[in-house]
Amino acid sequence: MTTIAPVGPDAGSRRLIYGHPEMLTDRSSHYCPGCGHGIIHRLVAELLDELELGPRTIGVASVGCSVFAYDYLPVDFVESPHGRAPAVATGVRRSRPDAFVFTYQGDGDLAAIGTAEIIHAAARGERISVIFVNNGIYGMTGGQMAPTTLLGQRTTSSPTGRDAAVAGYPLPITEMLALVPGVSYAARGSIADPGLIGRTKAMIRRAFEVQLAGGGLSIVEVLSTCPVGWGLTPVESMEHLAHDVVETYPLGVLVDRLLEPPRDRAEG
Amino acid sequence: MTTLLAAADRGSAEAAGPAVRPILMKGNEAIAEAAIQAGCDAYFGYPITPQAELLEWMARRMPECGRVFVQAESELGAINMALGAAATGARVLVSSSSPGISLMAEAMSYMAGSELPVVLVNVMRGGPGLGSIGPSQSDYFQATKGHGHGDYRVPVLAPSSIAEAVGLVADAFEIAERYRTPTMILADGVMGQAMEPVVPSYRMPERLPDGWQLSGANGRPPRVLQSLHLLPEELEAHDRHLQAKYRTIAEREVRWAGEQLDDAEIAIVAYGTAARVARTAIQRARAGGLALGLFRPITLWPFPSDALAAVAPRLRALLVVELSAGQLVEDVRLAVGDRVPVLFHGRMGGMVPTPGEVLDAARRAWAMTEGPAVSR
């Protein structure tokens, strides 16, 4: 997990509990203060280290703030057109059966323009892992409404707040995906506090292990922040995430089909 | 079918031995089998008329050969799967027809920018919109002037027989990989649906050495295949690199064929199915004493402008024949300028001009340009 060894006169008696993951480059990020991508990148990097996946990983970067994931995660990467990452990952997976393949997508990318691609990658049971970062907004383009935006939430394209009569309801896409037999694992975590970050890491670990075990598509939705897009300070953003966002998007494991006998998945 | 498959399975004319005979193949199926024999590792497609048999052939044959076949949820899905597979260095084929190609335009631009080699077959049908399922050449602009956004080019190969299509499939893979560029085979509904004798003499282009493909970094520095370059200076440098590559392709990869041009007074310029109709018209014209010839572009981009410009001054006129409202004709006019009158005859919407129509158009061109040659 780490490249830093304890130093000092009593180094031998100290236990290292935190270090810099090998699979995270040592460069300052372009993300805004209080943005959740840094935390989530780190979780991915730690797991690539712990599961020793780096050498055979091919990542698929999507369109949005996180397109630059390849600047921070030093693995092979291909950039996808907006929303098409699950299709691109399908092509990578089918051509490289031994690779570890994941996409890193935001909610505008996955739950709006890329809805068809994620649902059909799920339907095919593609052996890929999806890190789905939901901050309820289009961050990169200036904070417009996304399908995931909360009811009443003000954005630059819903200036008086999201009105269901005009703009419909937040899309619970991970719940929808959990219904699909080709999805082996679906869960929703959050980065609102250290405890939740730990639980989210366990979810991503499980998603990666499901791929390694030969399961179908695994997805972890991570509720995250966009202080600039939300018009809140980083601290306020975390509080909003902890108390308000979870009311629309409850946390937990939605399905883990590798743990239970596959009742609804064709056998044989 | 059994005979056909057996012959195709032998892989090449040499392997099949001296007993190899032409077999009757449908265009879509011949293109598909040629791709398999050229070493295609992965195929992605979506049903659309008039190319559905290509998808169906691949659905059966690719798994038989231990290769990748995926029927995608849309043309968007198919072309992006192709993008992903190409990123790993796989030899990839995608096919569709006009409306589906429009959907693929986005990824074509991304693949041009990321320099990913994919061969895309467009079996054109009538348009615009849902149009018709009849043969057409109305996607010439789309194919040759760019499908998606941005400064990029795509090499376009246009077969005018099924046997030629088989050879061009191998050429297309070679061009795609040599220059790391998406490459298109532009056929029409007749090329896709007609059956013609094909000698199964296939060719498998050599594989280029590893250097950019994604395989997992495994000890080497990680590779990123991207089209995003946020700094304008950086993007301009990348665009200059692409343009230099396109100039090289334009210098080296031009293909065209001339027929009976030596003594021709009027040359018909046509590709694909239109060239087939033109050939019949030329035979009839010559039987009636009109010296017609055929100038047939095989690469539509790069367009054989220099070759056409060299031929033009000897002629009294050029007659461009297309299954469109007149698209190729613009490149012809650009190539020859004022050196020779350029006339046009086309049909649209899935209609194919008859040899009689073309002959009439040639006679009109002859009459118009009779007398003292003003522009010869």
Side-chain angles (χ1 to χ4, degrees):
Chain A
M1 163 181 167
T2 177
T3 57
I4 303 173
V7 289
D10 56 347
S13 66
R14 284 185 294 167
R15 188 168 65 91
L16 181 80
I17 59 167
Y18 205 68
H20 188 94
E22 269 185 52
M23 281 291 128
L24 195 64
T25 57
D26 189 15
R27 61 190 289 176
S28 45
S29 94
H30 73 290
Y31 297 117
C32 304
C35 169
H37 278 310
I39 294 170
I40 301 162
H41 281 15
R42 184 182 168 104
L43 296 183
V44 172
E46 287 180 1
L47 288 164
L48 292 177
D49 278 356
E50 291 167 23
L51 299 171
E52 298 178 347
L53 293 172
R56 61 188 178 104
T57 293
I58 301 178
V60 181
S62 65
V63 174
C65 298
S66 68
V67 62
F68 294 112
Y70 46 65
D71 283 345
Y72 312 116
L73 301 169
V75 296
D76 277 8
F77 254 103
V78 57
E79 204 176 77
S80 163
H82 198 16
R84 321 295 175 218
V88 172
T90 298
V92 172
R93 153 59 61 229
R94 300 291 181 115
S95 300
R96 291 274 178 188
D98 298 332
F100 177 78
V101 182
F102 78 98
T103 71
Y104 191 109
Q105 303 175 256
D107 48 306
D109 192 81
L110 182 140
I113 193 169
T115 315
E117 284 75 14
I118 187 64
I119 287 179
H120 287 278
R124 290 188 301 270
E126 292 296 340
R127 195 160 56 86
I128 61 174
S129 300
V130 176
I131 308 298
F132 167 37
V133 179
N134 178 5
N135 59 13
I137 208 162
Y138 285 87
M140 195 182 221
T141 47
Q144 294 82 14
M145 183 181 66
T148 43
T149 296
L150 305 183
L151 285 178
Q153 185 179 341
R154 292 181 184 202
T155 70
T156 56
S157 60
S158 58
T160 57
R162 182 175 187 172
D163 175 2
V166 177
Y169 297 87
L171 188 69
I173 195 160
T174 307
E175 279 85 351
M176 291 161 60
L177 290 167
L179 295 173
V180 178
V183 173
S184 292
Y185 181 79
R188 181 183 291 119
S190 166
I191 55 154
D193 65 48
L196 288 174
I197 292 171
R199 278 181 65 194
T200 299
K201 181 176 176 181
M203 289 171 176
I204 299 176
R205 171 186 285 275
R206 179 64 187 157
F208 285 6
E209 285 171 349
V210 161
Q211 179 181 151
L212 297 174
L217 187 135
S218 54
I219 178 168
V220 179
E221 175 178 343
V222 185
L223 301 180
S224 186
T225 51
C226 183
V228 174
W230 291 357
L232 300 174
T233 67
V235 173
E236 289 167 348
S237 294
M238 283 299 181
E239 285 166 0
H240 177 63
L241 185 66
H243 301 117
D244 306 325
V245 177
V246 285
E247 292 193 4
T248 300
Y249 298 109
L251 306 180
V253 176
L254 294 159
V255 71
D256 190 340
R257 289 194 168 86
L258 292 200
L259 279 186
E260 296 170 20
R263 283 190 299 270
D264 49 356
R265 205 174 169 164
E267 293 194 61
Chain B
M1 186 61 77
T2 314
T3 322
L4 191 159
L5 258 185
D9 276 342
R10 284 195 288 270
S12 69
E14 302 86 77
V20 71
R21 285 178 306 176
I23 50 176
L24 200 58
M25 290 190 91
K26 192 167 194 164
N28 283 330
E29 297 174 345
I31 290 170
E33 186 59 31
I36 290 169
Q37 300 292 340
C40 176
D41 299 308
Y43 171 88
F44 306 96
Y46 181 82
I48 185 169
T49 309
Q51 66 82 54
E53 299 84 0
L54 209 163
L55 171 100
E56 291 166 351
W57 188 273
M58 290 307 219
R60 189 164 46 82
R61 287 279 291 142
M62 291 294 272
E64 272 176 17
C65 299
R67 321 244 185 110
V68 174
F69 168 88
V70 180
Q71 179 173 328
E73 67 274 16
S74 67
E75 287 89 351
L76 285 172
I79 195 75
N80 284 288
M81 290 174 194
L83 187 157
T88 69
R91 188 166 279 177
V92 186
L93 186 80
V94 178
S95 66
S96 189
S97 178
S98 310
I101 301 293
S102 294
L103 281 172
M104 293 180 173
E106 173 193 55
M108 290 294 275
S109 171
Y110 276 76
M111 291 191 292
S114 315
E115 299 190 87
L116 293 176
V118 163
V119 173
L120 173 58
V121 180
N122 180 3
V123 183
M124 288 181 283
R125 56 188 260 178
L130 203 48
S132 76
I133 58 170
S136 174
Q137 296 180 324
S138 55
D139 302 347
Y140 180 93
F141 285 155
Q142 184 196 47
T144 59
K145 312 300 179 194
H147 320 76
H149 58 282
D151 273 327
Y152 76 96
R153 290 289 197 173
V154 164
V156 180
L157 302 166
S160 87
S161 72
I162 295 169
E164 184 176 46
V166 165
L168 289 181
V169 168
D171 289 5
F173 280 121
E174 208 159 50
I175 291 170
E177 290 169 21
R178 184 181 299 152
Y179 301 103
R180 285 184 59 186
T181 175
T183 298
M184 179 179 271
I185 292 179
L186 192 68
D188 57 63
V190 172
M191 286 295 116
Q193 293 296 321
M195 297 187 80
E196 286 187 338
V198 174
V199 177
S201 60
Y202 300 113
R203 185 168 73 84
M204 186 183 300
E206 254 183 69
R207 301 222 179 227
L208 298 178
D210 176 84
W212 55 267
Q213 301 89 337
L214 306 188
S215 52
N218 201 15
R220 61 159 167 74
R223 293 170 178 163
V224 179
L225 297 170
Q226 66 194 101
S227 62
L228 178 68
H229 303 276
L230 269 189
L231 296 175
E233 298 85 351
E234 197 183 296
L235 179 56
E236 189 183 48
H238 176 64
D239 284 337
R240 283 188 199 285
H241 157 72
L242 293 180
Q243 295 302 319
K245 180 169 82 175
Y246 300 143
R247 282 194 295 277
T248 306
I249 296 172
E251 282 164 19
R252 294 185 188 165
E253 302 296 344
V254 174
R255 292 159 168 76
W256 64 283
E259 294 173 26
Q260 304 183 78
L261 286 174
D262 289 345
D263 64 339
E265 299 209 34
I266 291 178
I268 297 177
V269 185
Y271 69 97
T273 292
R276 302 286 291 271
V277 177
R279 193 174 288 138
T280 307
I282 290 165
Q283 284 165 7
R284 290 195 201 164
R286 283 186 171 263
L290 295 186
L292 263 52
L294 177 65
F295 185 96
R296 183 168 69 84
I298 298 171
T299 49
L300 303 182
W301 190 85
F303 190 76
S305 303
D306 293 346
L308 186 57
V311 169
R314 308 200 302 264
L315 302 165
R316 64 162 77 197
L318 291 172
L319 172 63
V320 181
V321 177
E322 298 180 59
L323 278 60
S324 82
Q327 302 192 11
L328 163 72
V329 67
E330 293 195 2
D331 279 337
V332 171
R333 289 195 169 118
L334 275 173
V336 302
D338 296 336
R339 272 168 284 193
V340 58
V342 177
L343 296 105
F344 171 73
H345 180 76
R347 296 294 300 268
M348 294 174 283
M351 298 298 291
V352 180
T354 63
E357 279 174 40
V358 175
L359 186 52
D360 286 347
R363 286 198 181 111
R364 282 197 300 276
W366 195 283
M368 280 171 62
T369 54
E370 221 156 18
V374 281
S375 57
R376 272 203 268 174

